[in-house]
Amino acid sequence: MPRHDRDEIARRAGYATWREAVQATAGLPQQEAGRLLGVSHPTIRVWRAELGLDRAAARPSPAQSAEAFRQDGHDARHGTANGYRNLGCRCERCTAAWTAYQRDRRG
Ligand SMILES: [Zn+2]
Protein backbone atom coordinates (compact mmCIF):
# COMPACT_ATOMS: atom_id res chain seq x y z
CA MET A 1 0.00 0.00 0.00
CA PRO A 2 1.48 3.40 -0.96
CA ARG A 3 2.38 5.58 1.96
CA HIS A 4 -0.01 8.43 1.10
CA ASP A 5 -2.91 5.97 1.23
CA ARG A 6 -1.86 4.95 4.70
CA ASP A 7 -1.84 8.58 5.76
CA GLU A 8 -5.29 9.02 4.24
CA ILE A 9 -6.55 6.06 6.30
CA ALA A 10 -4.97 7.50 9.44
CA ARG A 11 -6.50 10.93 8.82
CA ARG A 12 -9.96 9.39 8.46
CA ALA A 13 -9.44 7.75 11.85
CA GLY A 14 -8.42 11.08 13.35
CA TYR A 15 -4.61 10.88 13.24
CA ALA A 16 -2.15 13.14 11.43
CA THR A 17 -0.04 10.32 9.93
CA TRP A 18 -0.16 6.51 9.76
CA ARG A 19 2.93 6.47 11.95
CA GLU A 20 1.10 8.39 14.64
CA ALA A 21 -1.96 6.15 14.26
CA VAL A 22 0.12 2.98 14.65
CA GLN A 23 1.99 4.35 17.65
CA ALA A 24 -1.22 5.55 19.31
CA THR A 25 -2.84 2.11 18.94
CA ALA A 26 0.30 0.07 19.73
CA GLY A 27 -1.07 -1.05 23.10
CA LEU A 28 -4.25 -2.53 21.61
CA PRO A 29 -4.78 -6.03 20.21
CA GLN A 30 -4.25 -6.09 16.43
CA GLN A 31 -7.95 -6.78 15.79
CA GLU A 32 -9.03 -3.78 17.83
CA ALA A 33 -6.45 -1.43 16.34
CA GLY A 34 -7.56 -2.59 12.89
CA ARG A 35 -11.19 -1.83 13.68
CA LEU A 36 -10.30 1.63 14.96
CA LEU A 37 -8.27 2.50 11.87
CA GLY A 38 -10.49 0.71 9.38
CA VAL A 39 -7.89 -1.79 8.15
CA SER A 40 -7.42 -5.54 8.56
CA HIS A 41 -5.39 -6.85 11.48
CA PRO A 42 -2.64 -8.31 9.25
CA THR A 43 -2.18 -4.75 7.98
CA ILE A 44 -1.74 -3.59 11.56
CA ARG A 45 0.86 -6.29 12.06
CA VAL A 46 2.79 -5.15 8.99
CA TRP A 47 2.65 -1.51 10.01
CA ARG A 48 3.80 -2.31 13.53
CA ALA A 49 6.66 -4.38 12.17
CA GLU A 50 7.77 -1.48 9.99
CA LEU A 51 7.93 0.79 13.02
CA GLY A 52 9.61 -1.87 15.16
CA LEU A 53 6.63 -1.89 17.53
CA ASP A 54 5.85 -5.58 17.15
CA ARG A 55 8.88 -6.68 19.14
CA ALA A 56 8.13 -4.32 22.01
CA ALA A 57 4.62 -5.72 22.30
CA ALA A 58 5.65 -9.35 21.84
CA ARG A 59 5.38 -11.78 24.69
CA PRO A 60 8.60 -12.44 26.57
CA SER A 61 10.60 -15.45 25.40
CA PRO A 62 10.34 -18.65 27.46
CA ALA A 63 13.83 -18.02 28.82
CA GLN A 64 12.82 -14.54 30.02
CA SER A 65 9.64 -15.92 31.58
CA ALA A 66 11.58 -18.60 33.45
CA GLU A 67 14.05 -15.99 34.68
CA ALA A 68 11.21 -13.75 35.90
CA PHE A 69 9.63 -16.74 37.65
CA ARG A 70 12.86 -17.61 39.47
CA GLN A 71 13.20 -14.00 40.65
CA ASP A 72 9.64 -13.93 41.99
CA GLY A 73 9.49 -15.86 45.24
CA HIS A 74 5.71 -15.39 45.42
CA ASP A 75 5.02 -17.11 42.12
CA ALA A 76 2.62 -20.01 42.80
CA ARG A 77 4.72 -22.35 40.67
CA HIS A 78 7.46 -22.49 43.31
CA GLY A 79 7.32 -25.74 45.19
CA THR A 80 6.34 -27.73 42.08
CA ALA A 81 8.20 -30.25 39.96
CA ASN A 82 7.38 -28.03 36.99
CA GLY A 83 9.20 -25.13 38.65
CA TYR A 84 12.27 -27.28 39.10
CA ARG A 85 12.37 -29.21 35.85
CA ASN A 86 10.79 -26.93 33.24
CA LEU A 87 11.55 -23.54 34.71
CA GLY A 88 14.97 -24.38 36.10
CA CYS A 89 14.37 -23.12 39.62
CA ARG A 90 16.65 -24.57 42.31
CA CYS A 91 15.08 -22.92 45.34
CA GLU A 92 14.44 -25.04 48.42
CA ARG A 93 10.72 -25.52 47.70
CA CYS A 94 11.17 -26.48 44.05
CA THR A 95 14.04 -28.82 44.85
CA ALA A 96 11.95 -30.48 47.58
CA ALA A 97 8.99 -30.84 45.19
CA TRP A 98 11.25 -32.37 42.56
CA THR A 99 12.75 -34.81 45.06
CA ALA A 100 9.25 -35.85 46.17
CA TYR A 101 8.13 -36.19 42.56
CA GLN A 102 11.08 -38.45 41.73
CA ARG A 103 10.43 -40.50 44.84
CA ASP A 104 6.74 -40.93 43.93
CA ARG A 105 7.64 -41.94 40.40
CA ARG A 106 9.94 -44.64 41.65
CA GLY A 107 7.12 -45.46 44.13
ZN1 LIG B 1 11.44 -22.25 43.09
Side-chain angles (χ1 to χ4, degrees):
M1 187 183 301
R3 193 150 294 217
H4 64 270
D5 286 347
R6 296 177 173 189
D7 282 338
E8 179 57 36
I9 288 167
R11 273 194 295 274
R12 269 188 236 130
Y15 298 97
T17 63
W18 73 273
R19 192 174 287 267
E20 186 186 307
V22 173
Q23 276 162 352
T25 57
L28 299 172
Q30 287 173 7
Q31 308 266 5
E32 204 169 317
R35 254 197 311 278
L36 272 176
L37 301 180
V39 297
S40 65
H41 68 91
T43 302
I44 294 294
R45 189 168 59 228
V46 170
W47 290 4
R48 285 180 180 175
E50 282 189 40
L51 295 183
L53 293 171
D54 54 334
R55 278 184 296 281
R59 292 171 57 191
S61 73
Q64 283 171 321
S65 298
E67 177 64 25
F69 158 72
R70 291 194 295 268
Q71 301 297 324
D72 181 3
H74 298 292
D75 193 300
R77 290 171 296 178
H78 284 292
T80 65
N82 174 50
Y84 183 96
R85 183 175 57 180
N86 298 322
L87 298 167
C89 185
R90 295 296 180 266
C91 78
E92 214 170 289
R93 288 150 65 203
C94 288
T95 304
W98 178 246
T99 305
Y101 174 78
Q102 294 285 67
R103 196 171 47 229
D104 290 351
R105 261 163 50 111
R106 279 194 298 271

